[in-house]
Amino acid sequence: MTNKYMYFIANWKMFGGLNSIKSLNNVIRFLKSFKNNKYIKIIYCPPNTLIHTMVIKFKKSKIQVGAQNCHSHENYGAFTGFVNCNMLKSVGAKYVIIGHSENRFAGESDKLINHKIKSALKSGLKVIFCIGETLKQKRKKITKRVLEKQIKLGLNKIKIKDKKNLLIAYEPVWSIGTGLIASNKDLYEIIEFIKKKNKGYKILYGGSVNPKNIDSLKLIKNIDGFLVGGASQNSKKFIDIIKKTYN
Ligand code: PGA
């Protein structure tokens, strides 16, 4: 794969402090000099505490910054501990991850996720919308039904014109942080299913992506990019994933 436009999203989760910023110099240097850089879109999603610092760090680079979640309310309000999309945008975020399974587990419903997506798009943020089945659902062979429902409810009343501002990330829950990964054949089939039912969306894959399994994952033709958790916290590993995708 040498000339396909691909997204590489670094989801740092609740990791990283100001002392993690220096390592980003490696990524900035790498992207600047990499032969395929015009096809690469890197988006860092750090904890909110690092968004502004990263935005400044990436000022002269093409790398963009996103948040990992947001509140559904558009304006300021009495919501202790939360930030809304306009606030994220005001510190330079361009994207926001919504519907991550770790937040679905913490109680986020499809309806709330739908509100958050609408609020994000209205504020001008682009959305990385996560979907995925649990191991139990996979064993019951209801993966497609689960994904269809998550998409139907999550994207309820989302305007067609917003399609270009929304990426779908397919992350099997049983793959996240476990080292387990579906076969290429299964991933191809599920991504094809999502694309057929939801024309026009870019579909990313997430779940245990690392410098070892990328050699195989990159062969899946219908994937438009990767959402990387654990491995993205190490700049060398993250760079390796990108490099190998284009090798
Ligand atoms: P992982 O996380 O790469 O550590 O499995 C992916 C994610 O949760 O987005």
Side-chain angles (χ1 to χ4, degrees), residues 1-2 6 9 11 29 39 45 50 55 62 75 82 94 109 121 134-135 137 139-140 142 144 208 222 225 235 241:
M1 192 187 297
T2 51
M6 296 281 278
I9 299 174
N11 174 12
R29 265 197 306 269
Y39 301 114
C45 299
L50 293 178
V55 168
K62 286 194 327 170
N75 304 312
F82 292 94
K94 299 277 190 246
S109 64
L121 292 170
T134 62
L135 188 58
Q137 291 163 335
R139 285 194 176 134
K140 277 188 169 162
I142 55 169
K144 286 181 183 166
S208 291
N222 53 5
S235 62
I241 289 170

Side-chain angles (χ1 to χ4, degrees), residues 11 13 100 102 171 175-178 206-209 227-231:
N11 174 12
K13 310 194 179 193
H100 192 284
E102 284 152 14
E171 299 203 296
S175 252
I176 296 177
T178 59
S208 291
V209 178
L227 177 45
V228 187

